Amino acid sequence: MKTLKIAIQKSGRLNEKSVELLKNCGLNFENYKSSLISPVSNFPLEILFLRDDDIPEYVQDGIADLGIVGENVIQETEVKVSYLQKLGFGKCSLKIAVPNNTSIQDVADLNGRSIATTYPVILKKYLDSLNISADIRTISGSVEISPGLGLSDAICDLVSTGGTLKSNGLKPFADVMSSEAVLIGRQGSESEDLIQELIQRIQSVLRAKETKYVVLNVERTNLNTVLSLLPGVKSPSVVPLAESEWVAVHTVIPERDFWDRISQLKQAGAQGIVVMPIEKIIL
Ligand code: ATP
Ligand code: MG
């Protein structure tokens, strides 16, 4: 039987969440310590631990069948791979930022200015789309300090909270792209059975993550009002309780809907509300 290979980041911002996702899919493997390849003991799969920049190319060339990497890295390396699934972590934006005391007011003011970045390909496309011609200075890290050192007028870098910009006297100026971790595959490989099985496992974990199992007790007289507030995967189950006037309602609900409805549920007479995490949802 064929053994698949999936490439994930060796260390850095996406490593922990990638490992957690694969473990939640029921895959048993030793986390990276000294070896760069970990075999999975209960699925025909090997995990390759790589620098994130190398992942798109490894997948494009078929050295790895699958990869988990930020969309920003795929766009920057311009490889041709299939996007199989957005993964909901590693969310960030690529932004142009300028010093707090800058004279740059409008995007057009970037004409003729210098912008330091580790994302020259994406930045060039963005500037070209706006007909702006700036001097793109490609550097390999610590981009935020370059305006302070007089090396550039602006920067283009990944931002999640904006804290790093702030502590370097910079402010966000324009959004270039937003990004999150995605599962990628070699083009045309998505029809393979093993890859399909893995995608389905990942989707069942992602679905479960944003959904809760809710159990509550309610008097029969208030049951219909409570049920009208609770859309389940199908309809909620209603279970009789020892006290004949009362029932327990079990349902599965997206967490954000639950928080929207909690006060209405209590007003409608729901009591003893218990919210539990779900491990997997297989449709
Ligand atoms: P490697 O050593 O693997 O090359 P790296 O230093 O290039 O790692 P990290 O800083 O670990 O990369 O970031 C990995 C990915 O995490 C980024 O490509 C991006 O998709 C995502 N990310 C999420 N938030 C941020 C952020 N605030 N800054 C940088 N990257 C972020
Ligand atoms: Mg990198």
Side-chain angles (χ1 to χ4, degrees):
M1 195 196 228
K2 185 185 166 174
T3 298
L4 291 181
K5 292 189 176 68
I6 184 167
I8 67 171
Q9 196 189 20
K10 175 165 60 108
S11 60
R13 287 187 155 92
L14 301 184
N15 166 269
E16 206 175 303
K17 289 271 166 86
S18 305
V19 167
E20 181 187 308
L21 175 65
L22 296 177
K23 295 225 155 157
N24 286 340
C25 288
L27 303 173
N28 287 335
F29 58 94
E30 291 292 323
N31 200 356
Y32 162 78
K33 291 213 176 59
S34 54
S35 85
L36 297 176
I37 300 189
S38 244
V40 171
S41 62
N42 57 354
F43 195 86
L45 179 69
E46 284 174 341
I47 322 258
L48 310 186
F49 295 90
L50 302 175
R51 287 283 309 271
D52 69 347
D53 316 68
D54 297 331
I55 292 175
E57 214 163 300
Y58 270 56
V59 171
Q60 174 187 254
D61 298 348
I63 296 162
D65 302 276
L66 297 164
I68 294 179
V69 70
E71 289 171 282
N72 52 300
V73 179
I74 305 168
Q75 301 283 326
E76 185 62 28
T77 47
E78 293 188 296
V79 296
K80 296 204 165 29
V81 291
S82 298
Y83 280 63
L84 302 178
Q85 179 67 48
K86 287 193 180 237
L87 299 174
F89 60 86
K91 289 189 178 174
C92 56
S93 325
L94 187 64
K95 289 185 197 264
I96 295 178
V98 292
N100 289 326
N101 59 359
T102 185
S103 61
I104 298 170
Q105 299 298 325
D106 191 84
V107 189
D109 295 342
L110 292 169
N111 255 312
R113 305 291 191 121
S114 58
I115 310 175
T117 188
T118 51
Y119 291 92
V121 172
I122 302 175
L123 178 59
K124 169 115 180 42
K125 279 191 189 148
Y126 172 80
L127 294 173
D128 285 353
S129 75
L130 297 169
N131 267 323
I132 289 168
S133 153
D135 173 17
I136 298 175
R137 305 222 163 135
T138 306
I139 54 178
S140 58
S142 307
V143 175
E144 316 80 18
I145 61 169
S146 100
L149 296 175
L151 291 171
S152 69
D153 301 308
I155 66 162
C156 175
D157 202 10
L158 292 172
V159 178
S160 43
T161 61
T164 313
L165 291 184
K166 212 168 175 182
S167 58
N168 284 284
L170 300 168
K171 58 183 181 187
F173 177 70
D175 285 328
V176 177
M177 80 171 282
S178 56
S179 177
E180 68 180 87
V182 288
L183 178 74
I184 54 169
R186 190 170 25 83
Q187 284 188 333
S189 68
E190 43 286 44
S191 58
E192 289 175 25
D193 288 349
L194 272 182
I195 290 183
Q196 271 306 315
E197 183 174 339
L198 207 54
I199 294 174
Q200 274 162 27
R201 284 198 194 196
I202 288 174
Q203 286 173 341
S204 76
V205 170
L206 296 175
R207 245 180 250 125
K209 218 174 196 151
E210 55 203 34
T211 312
K212 297 287 172 214
Y213 192 99
V214 176
V215 182
L216 55 85
N217 294 339
V218 63
E219 269 186 296
R220 283 185 193 275
T221 47
N222 295 326
L223 179 62
N224 283 340
T225 328
V226 164
L227 289 183
S228 69
L229 293 166
L230 287 176
V233 165
K234 289 269 182 335
S235 49
S237 335
V238 178
V239 183
L241 292 177
E243 189 118 13
S244 65
E245 281 313 295
W246 285 78
V247 288
V249 176
H250 292 234
T251 196
V252 166
I253 179 171
E255 188 168 13
R256 59 172 188 283
D257 290 357
F258 173 75
W259 290 115
D260 286 349
R261 282 160 220 222
I262 181 77
S263 58
Q264 285 170 285
L265 284 169
K266 281 165 89 173
Q267 253 172 25
Q271 292 185 13
I273 305 171
V274 176
V275 181
M276 288 171 277
I278 298 176
E279 201 176 281
K280 294 180 184 67
I281 296 184
I282 295 143
L283 294 180

